């Protein structure tokens, strides 16, 4: 009886060990457009990476390290990148999306020249990820809802998305062009309906923003879900291991 019990325990341990060994972690590093938002029961704001767990099986862990207000510079100087490297392992992924705060010219702790510091910080993220035998994916920034008086969506990110593209191309790593995809998204909704993708509330409309809110950068739950869906669709087109872990029920 004891031998039988020990055999059962050994089999259970073997299966649980295999499941653990197969588990993949996706680290997401970036700014507020990706980050987890507090008080989700009350707060209508979401980062698009906050929605990603809904689209994967339990074999994938989304470790969202994106933080409001961070640029490539501040993410490094605050040792946030070092903390990712400490636990990053072979077969994991790193999703990299910066740009919104690298533009802050009046803040030397965050600003980066797109052609020099920003570019080289992205290269550092990519190369140090590869050294860990993990897989980096570079993303261009999502667009802001910035329609002019003629109803034309106007870019606000300048050279940063182009440098992200160039880094990915030169280092031969996967690239997801969220700038282009979210341009299409905003334009498909149009000037008025695209308000639903962001945070637009009149005073007294919802308790979380008693004085109202007009925010064309950050995402509502609807907007974040739309962006996350686009990311998943792009991942499906890539020949990598994540294809096997996308939740087909979604």
């Amino acid at each position: 009886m004891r031998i039988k019990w020990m055999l059962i325990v050994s089999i259970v341990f073997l299966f649980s060990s295999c499941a653990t060994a197969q588990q993949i972690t996706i680290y997401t590093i970036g700014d507020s457009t990706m980050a987890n938002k507090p008080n989700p029961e009350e707060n209508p704001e979401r980062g698009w990476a906050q929605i990603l767990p809904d689209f994967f099986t339990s074999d994938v862990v989304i470790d969202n390290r994106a933080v409001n207000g961070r640029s490539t510079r501040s993410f490094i100087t605050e040792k946030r990148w070092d903390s990712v490297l400490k636990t990053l392992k072979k077969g994991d992924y790193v999703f990299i999306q910066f740009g919104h705060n690298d533009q802050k010219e009046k803040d030397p702790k965050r600003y980066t020249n797109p052609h020099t510091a920003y570019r080289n910080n992205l290269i550092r993220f990519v190369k140090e990820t590869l050294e860990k035998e993990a897989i980096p994916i570079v993303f261009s920034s999502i667009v802001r809802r910035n329609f002019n008086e003629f109803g034309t969506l106007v870019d606000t990110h300048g050279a940063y998305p182009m440098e992200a593209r160039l880094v990915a191309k030169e280092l031969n790593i996967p690239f997801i062009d969220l700038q282009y995809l979210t341009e299409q998204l905003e334009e498909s909704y149009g000037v008025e309906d695209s308000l639903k993708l962001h945070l637009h509330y009149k005073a007294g409309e919802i308790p979380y923003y008693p004085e109202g809110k007009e925010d064309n950068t950050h995402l509502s739950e609807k907007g974040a879900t739309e962006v996350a869906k686009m990311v998943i669709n792009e991942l499906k087109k890539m020949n990598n291991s994540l294809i096997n872990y996308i939740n087909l029920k979604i």
Side-chain angles (χ1 to χ4, degrees):
M1 184 68 180
R2 183 181 177 185
I3 295 175
K4 182 179 180 180
W5 173 247
M6 290 178 66
L7 180 60
I8 293 171
V9 170
S10 298
I11 292 172
V12 171
F13 179 77
L14 178 63
F15 275 102
S16 62
S17 297
C18 290
T20 301
Q22 292 174 350
Q23 196 169 65
I24 293 173
T25 299
I26 299 174
Y27 292 90
T28 58
I29 65 171
D31 54 44
S32 56
T33 61
M34 295 176 85
N36 291 339
K37 307 302 176 180
N39 306 317
E41 297 300 322
E42 304 169 4
N43 185 359
E45 184 181 352
R46 298 288 187 277
W48 66 259
Q50 189 172 2
I51 307 295
L52 284 182
D54 296 340
F55 293 93
F56 286 98
T57 68
S58 58
D59 294 311
V60 171
V61 173
I62 307 297
D63 191 339
N64 191 357
R65 302 292 185 93
V67 181
N68 289 14
R70 269 50 182 192
S71 68
T72 58
R73 182 188 298 276
S74 61
F75 201 85
I76 291 170
T77 58
E78 293 174 5
K79 307 297 183 183
R80 295 179 185 277
W81 176 236
D82 288 344
S83 71
V84 171
L85 286 176
K86 285 180 181 178
T87 54
L88 184 63
K89 66 183 186 300
K90 180 179 180 180
D92 286 344
Y93 283 76
V94 181
F95 289 3
I96 306 162
Q97 183 216 259
F98 289 94
H100 281 90
N101 298 300
D102 286 81
Q103 294 180 292
K104 307 292 186 180
E105 294 181 359
K106 295 181 180 180
D107 187 347
K109 293 183 178 180
R110 292 191 288 177
Y111 174 72
T112 59
N113 182 315
H115 306 297
T116 56
Y118 176 72
R119 170 185 173 78
N120 281 282
N121 288 341
L122 291 182
I123 290 172
R124 174 177 173 177
F125 294 143
V126 168
K127 287 188 173 181
E128 292 184 355
T129 297
L130 292 172
E131 287 170 3
K132 290 280 189 173
E133 297 185 76
I135 301 103
I137 299 180
V138 172
F139 296 73
S140 53
S141 299
I142 68 168
V143 299
R144 295 182 175 93
R145 180 187 168 275
N146 185 46
F147 289 95
N148 66 16
E149 66 270 28
F150 305 105
T152 302
L153 186 69
V154 179
D155 174 59
T156 65
H157 286 111
Y160 292 91
M162 178 59 73
E163 287 297 343
R165 290 182 182 91
L166 291 173
V167 167
K169 183 176 181 179
E170 291 170 15
L171 298 180
N172 194 29
I173 61 161
F175 174 70
I176 293 180
D177 194 352
L178 276 188
Q179 182 192 32
Y180 175 60
L181 293 171
T182 53
E183 278 180 2
Q184 291 183 309
L185 177 67
E186 300 280 351
E187 290 172 347
S188 70
Y189 272 76
V191 175
E192 293 302 321
D193 282 348
S194 60
L195 293 169
K196 301 172 185 176
L197 302 174
H198 299 278
L199 306 171
H200 284 263
Y201 302 98
K202 297 177 181 178
E205 185 175 350
I206 63 170
Y208 202 80
Y209 298 121
E211 298 180 1
K213 185 80 170 176
E214 291 187 9
D215 185 338
N216 292 308
T217 297
H218 300 99
L219 299 167
S220 64
E221 184 172 4
K222 181 180 183 64
T225 301
E226 291 277 20
V227 176
K229 285 179 180 178
M230 291 190 295
V231 170
I232 294 299
N233 286 334
E234 292 302 301
L235 291 173
K236 287 179 179 178
K237 298 175 185 177
M238 297 177 179
N239 185 25
N240 62 49
S241 62
L242 288 179
I243 295 173
N244 301 316
Y245 302 103
I246 293 173
N247 189 347
L248 299 178
K249 295 180 181 179
I250 299 298

